[in-house]
Amino acid sequence: MTVETKGNYKSGFVTIWGRPNVGKSTLLNMLIGEKVAIVTPRPQTTRNRISGICETEEGQIVFLDTPGILKPKQKLDEYLVKSARSCLRDADVVLFVVDGTTTPHSDDKRAAKLIRNIDKDVLLVVNKIDIADIPNLDAIIAEYKKLGNFKGGVAVSAVTQINIPILIKKIFELMPENSAYYPEGTVTDQQDKLAIAELIREQVLLSVRQEIPHGVAVVVKEFESRNDELDYISANIYVEKQGHKLIVVGGNGRMLKEIGRKSREGIEGLFGKKVYLDLWVKVSKNWRKDEAALTRFGYK
């Protein structure tokens, strides 16, 4: 669906591409000015395609955040790479995001190879320059430029907003003239249940400092409005081992209560009303390797 607009209006889709932990989700949130993607210090935080919409007088950019590209080790990893690659089909422009604090990683090279021959305009985005070694930054950028045939590039900080306006300007230079895809004021097309599940998973990742984060999935079982002031939500947090369940629950349930409190605050901020949140922790052994479990948890 497109929305009628006048004049030399531009709109299109931009896929945010790169290996895990280069700051793609942080960049998405900064580009649209609101939080639509969860952000943690841990790699592979993003598991689903998430759209965020940026509007200016010049036009509308629909950003597609993707899971990080890496060498698959299990069924979940295979799904993440396929999910990311599916976002390339819709793209008018691809942002190849890399970490300016380090030279190219093997997964950077893997990600670059997957887009080397696509018929899309690709911009190189060197992120994290606020913490980069500035004297060596030019040399690092030169190494990344060798990975592909880029239409240009921008060195940015997704945290401090350095050069974000320049990046948006360069994207619009490559955008086609087109009507808007979404009505004015739309920030994301993410479904409510997925947004809630992601907010809960974010709090698990931030709260648990053990080995389990990549083995966590969240499924919202119920989401209903009890009245104009209160929503009821029931969600299951799935882990792969009984020992992991004990970590998430914590002594006397303290960890789960804290995860619930922080999740509830995030959900209430998202929907603007009070939330009663029921959280349950369940074990689904080795679910990341189980195609049936991946389907049940929304990864198919």
Side-chain angles (χ1 to χ4, degrees):
M1 182 185 76
T2 58
V3 181
E4 287 300 318
T5 49
K6 297 180 180 180
N8 298 323
Y9 195 88
K10 293 185 172 184
S11 69
F13 291 84
V14 175
T15 293
I16 303 175
W17 184 263
R19 69 170 172 87
N21 220 27
V22 295
K24 298 186 300 297
S25 296
T26 304
L27 179 63
L28 171 67
N29 292 336
M30 183 61 71
L31 285 164
I32 69 170
E34 290 194 32
K35 180 177 178 177
V36 296
I38 69 173
V39 178
T40 79
R42 301 179 184 277
Q44 286 182 273
T45 297
T46 300
R47 288 181 180 168
N48 301 88
R49 161 178 161 162
I50 298 173
S51 299
I53 296 99
C54 169
E55 291 180 338
T56 73
E57 292 184 358
E58 190 171 359
Q60 184 183 82
I61 306 171
V62 183
F63 290 102
L64 307 177
D65 190 21
T66 61
I69 302 300
L70 77 172
K71 185 177 181 180
K73 297 178 181 177
Q74 50 202 348
K75 291 293 183 181
L76 177 61
D77 294 338
E78 293 174 7
Y79 165 82
L80 297 180
V81 173
K82 286 180 181 178
S83 175
R85 295 185 72 174
S86 72
C87 293
L88 294 172
R89 292 195 298 266
D90 296 327
D92 296 288
V93 177
V94 176
L95 302 185
F96 182 40
V97 184
V98 299
D99 183 344
T101 68
T102 182
T103 53
H105 183 281
S106 60
D107 285 334
D108 290 306
K109 296 175 183 177
R110 181 172 288 105
K113 185 176 180 180
L114 290 174
I115 59 172
R116 189 164 294 151
N117 297 316
I118 63 170
D119 186 23
K120 310 285 182 180
D121 291 330
V122 182
L123 286 174
L124 177 65
V125 180
V126 181
N127 192 24
K128 304 187 183 181
I129 64 168
D130 55 310
I131 56 174
D133 181 7
I134 298 302
N136 293 320
L137 184 58
D138 286 344
I140 291 173
I141 292 174
E143 289 299 309
Y144 282 113
K145 285 182 177 178
K146 295 176 183 177
L147 298 182
N149 182 23
F150 302 108
K151 283 287 185 178
V154 188
V156 306
S157 167
V159 172
T160 65
Q161 302 186 47
I162 296 172
N163 291 339
I164 294 297
I166 294 174
L167 175 58
I168 292 174
K169 182 176 183 294
K170 285 187 175 291
I171 292 170
F172 271 121
E173 290 173 357
L174 300 173
M175 283 280 103
E177 288 192 10
N178 203 356
S179 299
Y181 284 93
Y182 292 90
E184 184 177 350
T186 305
V187 175
T188 181
D189 66 354
Q190 191 176 20
Q191 295 180 352
D192 289 345
K193 280 191 173 182
L194 176 58
I196 292 166
E198 287 292 271
L199 284 170
I200 295 168
R201 188 165 66 90
E202 177 181 41
Q203 291 308 320
V204 176
L205 298 185
L206 291 173
S207 299
V208 177
R209 303 298 180 186
Q210 305 290 333
E211 62 186 33
I212 69 169
H214 298 316
V216 173
V218 178
V219 177
V220 175
K221 306 298 288 185
E222 292 184 64
F223 176 35
E224 62 179 39
S225 177
R226 291 287 169 87
N227 53 55
D228 290 341
E229 297 180 355
L230 181 68
D231 285 340
Y232 172 79
I233 298 168
S234 176
N236 292 340
I237 299 172
Y238 290 96
V239 294
E240 293 186 304
K241 300 177 181 179
Q242 182 65 28
H244 294 170
K245 177 178 178 178
L246 296 175
I247 292 170
V248 174
V249 173
N252 295 320
R254 284 192 296 269
M255 178 65 77
L256 185 60
K257 289 176 183 176
E258 184 66 5
I259 291 169
R261 181 184 67 81
K262 292 180 178 178
S263 299
R264 187 176 65 253
E265 290 174 355
I267 296 166
E268 289 176 345
L270 181 64
F271 293 103
K273 60 189 298 189
K274 292 292 184 182
V275 167
Y276 185 93
L277 180 61
D278 254 340
L279 290 182
W280 303 87
V281 184
K282 298 179 179 290
V283 177
S284 179
K285 189 175 180 181
N286 295 325
W287 67 264
R288 288 180 292 170
K289 300 178 181 179
D290 184 344
E291 292 217 23
L294 286 170
T295 300
R296 288 201 317 275
F297 298 166
Y299 295 119
K300 288 288 181 181

